[in-house]
Amino acid sequence: MARKKVNLYQFSNKGTQAERIKHALTLLELDGMYGSFEQLAEEGIKNHITLYDFLETLLEKEVVLKEDSRTVRWIQQARFPWQKTLKEFDFAFQPSINQAFIHELASARFVKQGKNVIFLGPPGVGKTHLSIALGIEAISQGYDVRFVLLNDLIDQFLKCDGNIVRVQRLLATLLRPKVLILDDIDYYTMGEDTSEFVFKLVIQRYNNNMSMIFTSNKSFDDWGGLFVQRQRASSAIDRITERAEIVEISGTSYRLKDKVDSKKLKGKSVVVN
Ligand code: ADP
Ligand code: MG
């Protein structure tokens, strides 16, 4: 909810006491207290609750509501293409993944340490799902996150049309969030300017100890194309991997799960790449 501009803070002297309290809570945007104070006050009187306990419970309602709406807002701002959580991830289907390690990453300690996370593996094994899930966990720990498909980032750069102000603004939006998810590092044939932009982004985030999460179905050797010049590629990839947790997934695409299950039921063996 966007903050309303208030021109005058004034306590109302109209209406009943409950109405005056509601007016003040609206003015102060204390929606959590607004929704609960009447019932809490009634219960408090019946159960001989102290004023301190009453006030504490009331404040807790407000903090919980503010935290819920912060999470919702930050998830929207992260621009995830879709939302998936760790709970929705079927680890049994992907035994190559160390579940305990993913839960350690979910603690967002890697963000505090300024480390990167790199998910590598073939299409459909859940790299994007896990990067979004870690992004949501990081948000719940108080870190802001931005998700961008590398292809879209390149498009956004090209749309700046070489205008320095626009390029700087784009760079700033990608440097600001504590966690930047760059999804789908693939083969690229791109111009010198684009490559330099991606290089700058990687180096500046590294220098600022700001985490990135990468997903790719290509090995690091194939990431070179992203940086055009060999020198630039090796120095960027060195920095990306220097403080990185690498999760290699070597399973079957989840998109083929149903096919695999139904074929198993029919007693046929299946080989899926
Ligand atoms: P990748 O990025 O590796 O190509 P995705 O993360 O896009 O794969 O996964 C493809 C789809 O399958 C998504 O809808 C994702 O939520 C789902 N998915 C993949 N792996 C799992 C899993 N182990 N458990 C539950 N859903 C999964
Ligand atoms: Mg993906």
Side-chain angles (χ1 to χ4, degrees), residues 82-84 88-94 97 121-132 183-184 215-217 249 252-255 257:
W82 24 272
Q83 285 179 38
K84 282 284 166 81
E88 291 167 275
F89 196 80
D90 179 2
F91 283 94
F93 186 77
Q94 219 54 267
I97 299 177
V125 293
K127 302 181 298 296
T128 301
H129 182 138
L130 288 173
S131 73
I132 293 171
D183 193 35
D184 253 342
T215 77
S216 182
N217 53 31
I249 311 174
T252 303
S253 168
Y254 196 77
R255 296 187 183 104
K257 182 176 185 279

Side-chain angles (χ1 to χ4, degrees), residues 41-249:
E42 259 177 50
E43 284 170 10
I45 292 165
K46 259 190 243 154
N47 301 320
H48 308 279
I49 300 291
T50 68
L51 293 180
Y52 272 87
D53 284 345
F54 168 73
L55 185 61
E56 189 177 24
T57 314
L58 200 56
L59 288 170
E60 194 183 344
K61 298 270 183 210
E62 187 60 44
V63 171
V64 167
L65 190 82
K66 287 253 188 306
E67 172 56 14
D68 285 351
S69 58
R70 178 196 69 83
T71 311
V72 170
R73 210 170 49 245
W74 285 26
I75 286 176
Q76 278 167 358
Q77 286 166 0
R79 305 203 200 165
F80 297 120
W82 24 272
Q83 285 179 38
K84 282 284 166 81
T85 61
L86 268 193
K87 279 207 186 90
E88 291 167 275
F89 196 80
D90 179 2
F91 283 94
F93 186 77
Q94 219 54 267
S96 72
I97 299 177
N98 177 344
Q99 187 173 351
F101 185 58
I102 300 295
H103 281 106
E104 158 58 25
L105 294 175
S107 74
R109 254 185 291 273
F110 77 94
V111 183
K112 207 169 172 195
Q113 296 161 348
K115 285 184 175 172
N116 295 331
V117 178
I118 306 173
F119 290 105
L120 298 175
V125 293
K127 302 181 298 296
T128 301
H129 182 138
L130 288 173
S131 73
I132 293 171
L134 289 189
I136 291 174
E137 293 294 333
I139 288 173
S140 75
Q141 307 283 330
Y143 298 114
D144 56 340
V145 175
R146 175 70 199 275
F147 179 104
V148 65
L149 257 166
L150 188 55
N151 245 335
D152 289 347
L153 184 150
I154 292 168
D155 276 354
Q156 286 170 27
F157 172 78
L158 293 175
K159 279 202 190 109
C160 292
D161 217 7
N163 180 310
I164 293 172
V165 177
R166 275 151 76 184
V167 170
Q168 285 302 331
R169 205 180 297 144
L170 176 63
L171 188 63
T173 62
L174 299 165
L175 289 173
R176 207 174 301 125
K178 271 303 239 181
V179 181
L180 178 69
I181 303 174
L182 274 190
D183 193 35
D184 253 342
I185 314 279
D186 209 325
Y187 286 121
Y188 293 96
T189 40
M190 57 186 190
E192 179 63 29
D193 291 352
T194 317
S195 143
E196 201 185 323
F197 178 77
V198 177
F199 181 73
K200 243 190 212 166
L201 172 64
V202 166
I203 299 297
Q204 290 198 28
R205 286 197 68 95
Y206 170 87
N207 289 341
N208 298 344
N209 283 328
M210 303 271 265
S211 297
M212 299 177 81
I213 300 178
F214 298 88
T215 77
S216 182
N217 53 31
K218 301 284 183 291
S219 69
F220 291 126
D221 294 342
D222 298 326
W223 287 28
L226 188 57
F227 301 101
V228 183
Q229 294 172 13
R230 186 181 291 184
Q231 180 85 33
R232 205 188 268 155
S234 66
S235 90
I237 294 167
D238 279 356
R239 283 174 174 85
I240 290 170
T241 52
E242 184 189 299
R243 294 185 304 232
E245 305 289 5
I246 299 172
V247 181
E248 285 199 69
I249 311 174

